[in-house]
Each structure stands twice: as C-alpha cells, then as structure tokens.
Amino acid sequence: MSKPKVLVTRKWPASVEEKLKSLYDVTLNKDDRPLSTDELKQALRDYDAVCPAVCDALPAAVINVADKRCRILANFGVGFNHIDIEAAKQQGLAVTNTPGVLTESTADIAMTLLLMSARRGAEGDRLVRSKQWSGWCPTQMMSSDVTGATLGLIGFGRIAQAMARKAHHGFGMKILYFKPSPADQTIVDELKAIRCDNVEELLRQSDYVSLHCPGGAATYHLIDADMLKLMKPTAHLINTARGDVVDSKALIQALREKRIAGAGLDVYEGEPNVDEGFLALDNVSLLPHLGSATIATRTAMGEKVLANLAAFFAGRDLPDRVA
Ligand code: 8YV
C-alpha cells in the first residue's frame, strides 16, 4: 500500500522532519516560504494530510475547495483560530492541535514581556545601542516594581496558570483571574488566586494584565478603547494570546497618551504586519511571536503532530482532536 501523502507547510525541527520522511510520502518546505492561498487550496486537493501553522489562513473559502483529497488538518500549534473549524466540520475534515507541550515556554515569554515592559528593558537596550547613554543617574529610566504587584489574567487555562505560578511563587505577585467557567480549585488554592466577576473588574484592579483567552470572533477586540480606560495609568498590558483580542489602534492611542504605562506584545492583528503606530512608541515591547520558540518545545509540538497523524492513519481516536 502506498504511504499517505503529507504536506508540511513550513520548516520544522530537523528531527521531526526526519521521522515524517520515514513514515510518509511527505513534502517539506525546505525554504520555509509561506504558502499562498492558491497553494493551500491546491494542497487540500493533492495531499491526504496538511500540517499548517498559525501563519496559514484556512478560511471556508480555502477549506471548501472542490475535489479535496485531504482528510485531516494536523495543526502545528495549540491556537487554531486561523482555521474555520465549522467549515472543516461540514467538509468532514478532522482538525488536531498540539496542546500541553508549549505551556511553559509560552508562559515564560509572557513573563519576559511583563518584565521587559515593567523595567523598560527594550528601551534601555535601545539607549545603550544608540550610544545616547551618558551614565548612571538617580532618576534615569525609573520604572515599576514587579515583585508584590497584582497580576490579572484574562483566561485561566494551562498557559495562564503556568504564568500565574511563576509570578506568584517567583515574584510574590497577587493573582486575579477572569474565566467564564469555574477554575480548578487546586490551583486557585495553591496561588490564593481571586476570581473577578468580569473583565472590567479585573482591569480596574490589576497592575499587570496578561491575555490568555483564545482568539476568534468571541474575543475579537475584547480589549478596546473603553476597556483600556478602566486600566490604572500605571498598569501594563501583556498579549501572548492572539493579536485581534486587542484593538491595536485603541492600544496605540492609550500608550501614546500615557493612559497606561506600557504594553508587551508577542502577537499582532494581521500578523506578520505590525501597526506602524507601535514602532514609534517607547512604552511598548515587541516580540515576533516567540511564545513556543524553544528547540525542545517546537520539537515536542512536531511530535504531537506525528502522534495525531499516526492515530488518524491507523483509524484510532485522535489524541488532540478539535474538529
Ligand atoms: C505557535 C502559538 O508557535 O501554538 C500556538 O497557538 O501561538 C504559537 O506559539 C504557533 O501558533 C504555531 O502554529
């Protein structure tokens, strides 16, 4: 029997690509060039499995393409808002993701951004590199304390909980969270975490706000101009979730007018384009979607995709099925 045809849309860690080669008739992307919409449509016609990532938009217009051969989208990543899940279901396409393995590395990046924003790390680096630093002085680049401050988490899933642990046990931070459904009592007790009744209440009380809700229609522009007005003028907003959870224009305005102290972003609306407004501001720290970008994590994500593909082609239950 011939091996299933698998397409990997972007370059993956070498060890995972080697395993794919031994198991499937796989097409890899050696040059790591993003695929166009037409190429993605063609991929659905030509391959049994397509393995996309956050950079591949798969709306209904792509998923509904006629004469499909593809039966599974095995996503490399935990977030799947770039895939129209309803369209996939209607078309009988299975969709899987890679939860669990990127929790700590993504929480580390959220904490990195929190520290960078609080202590003006990126701005300080720019000052030194530009040779404008004239030496230590008592009032230069004063910033905000992290230790003992209040961290508010919007969403309280795996990544938010991992960040809360680091912040509470490592930095003595007080933890607030908002999550529509009840949270696991063990972690609430461990962190003495306090549930806010709504996002508004959390924004009013937090020194640092970190976003950990899924992207998509339900959370589109959850943090808009009105919500930003509720934050303390000394507070910082951290986003490692998805760009469109925040109204970028409203955030730029709030930062420009110093209505909040700072922001740390790993994700953007319309990624990889970054609103020019951010680039002119000193009180925002910008990272290029590095959440899961450690060697170990990216390898583990690839292994998860392998496990999902293996189960699919063996006709077993899919370990990480989202559709
Ligand atoms: C991934 C992420 O690297 O897994 C996610 O949802 O946001 C990232 O950290 C990316 O999505 C890969 O598809």
Side-chain angles (χ1 to χ4, degrees), residues 52-56 75-82 97-99 102 105-106 159 240-242 266-267 271 289-293 297-298 301:
V54 67
C55 46
D56 303 304
N75 187 54
F76 183 86
V78 68
F80 47 83
N81 61 308
H82 53 291
N97 68 344
T98 63
L102 45 75
S105 51
T106 306
I159 298 171
T240 56
R242 283 294 179 260
D266 192 40
V267 288
E271 236 171 88
H289 202 146
L290 294 181
S292 62
T297 296
R298 288 281 161 84
M301 289 162 70

Side-chain angles (χ1 to χ4, degrees), residues 91-143:
Q91 295 284 309
L93 263 182
V95 182
T96 58
N97 68 344
T98 63
V101 293
L102 45 75
T103 305
E104 296 299 332
S105 51
T106 306
D108 286 351
I109 278 289
M111 208 59 215
T112 302
L113 281 168
L114 188 156
L115 289 162
M116 282 171 74
S117 193
R119 302 306 308 272
R120 304 172 64 178
E123 193 185 341
D125 181 85
R126 285 193 293 275
L127 182 69
V128 175
R129 284 175 196 279
S130 67
K131 303 196 173 152
Q132 299 300 304
W133 184 42
S134 52
W136 187 89
C137 58
T139 55
Q140 186 192 28
M141 287 193 67
M142 292 188 293
S143 60

Side-chain angles (χ1 to χ4, degrees), residues 106-299:
T106 306
D108 286 351
I109 278 289
M111 208 59 215
T112 302
L113 281 168
L114 188 156
L115 289 162
M116 282 171 74
S117 193
R119 302 306 308 272
R120 304 172 64 178
E123 193 185 341
D125 181 85
R126 285 193 293 275
L127 182 69
V128 175
R129 284 175 196 279
S130 67
K131 303 196 173 152
Q132 299 300 304
W133 184 42
S134 52
W136 187 89
C137 58
T139 55
Q140 186 192 28
M141 287 193 67
M142 292 188 293
S143 60
S144 310
D145 282 312
V146 171
T147 298
T150 298
L151 170 63
L153 299 145
I154 298 180
F156 203 51
R158 283 177 296 259
I159 298 171
Q161 291 179 17
M163 183 183 191
R165 281 205 171 91
K166 293 170 205 292
H168 182 72
H169 297 308
F171 293 88
M173 295 183 89
K174 181 175 161 198
I175 306 297
L176 306 179
Y177 69 96
F178 171 74
K179 177 179 189 271
S181 53
D184 170 34
Q185 199 53 43
T186 318
I187 179 98
V188 168
D189 292 345
E190 176 193 327
L191 303 176
K192 299 183 187 63
I194 298 170
R195 184 177 187 279
C196 294
D197 287 334
N198 48 51
V199 174
E200 288 85 343
E201 189 193 319
L202 181 141
L203 293 173
R204 283 192 196 98
Q205 294 183 42
S206 302
D207 300 312
Y208 300 90
V209 174
S210 190
L211 304 176
H212 298 280
C213 45
T219 55
Y220 180 79
H221 285 189
L222 172 69
I223 305 298
D224 61 8
D226 289 339
M227 288 289 197
L228 287 165
K229 281 185 193 141
L230 302 178
M231 289 177 68
K232 299 180 185 182
T234 49
H236 296 251
L237 179 71
I238 310 303
N239 190 5
T240 56
R242 283 294 179 260
D244 57 13
V245 177
V246 179
D247 178 343
S248 310
K249 296 283 179 213
L251 177 59
I252 289 164
Q253 186 85 1
L255 289 166
R256 197 178 282 145
E257 293 169 7
K258 306 228 170 9
R259 281 190 278 105
I260 64 170
L265 309 177
D266 192 40
V267 288
Y268 304 89
E269 288 193 271
E271 236 171 88
N273 301 318
V274 175
D275 194 310
E276 290 279 328
F278 286 124
L279 307 183
L281 294 170
D282 257 333
N283 54 351
V284 63
S285 302
L286 307 170
L287 294 181
H289 202 146
L290 294 181
S292 62
T294 70
I295 299 165
T297 296
R298 288 281 161 84
T299 305

Side-chain angles (χ1 to χ4, degrees), residues 35-37 40-41 52-63 81-84:
L35 300 190
S36 67
T37 302
L40 285 170
K41 282 186 181 166
V54 67
C55 46
D56 303 304
L58 290 155
V62 174
I63 288 177
N81 61 308
H82 53 291
I83 302 173
D84 187 326

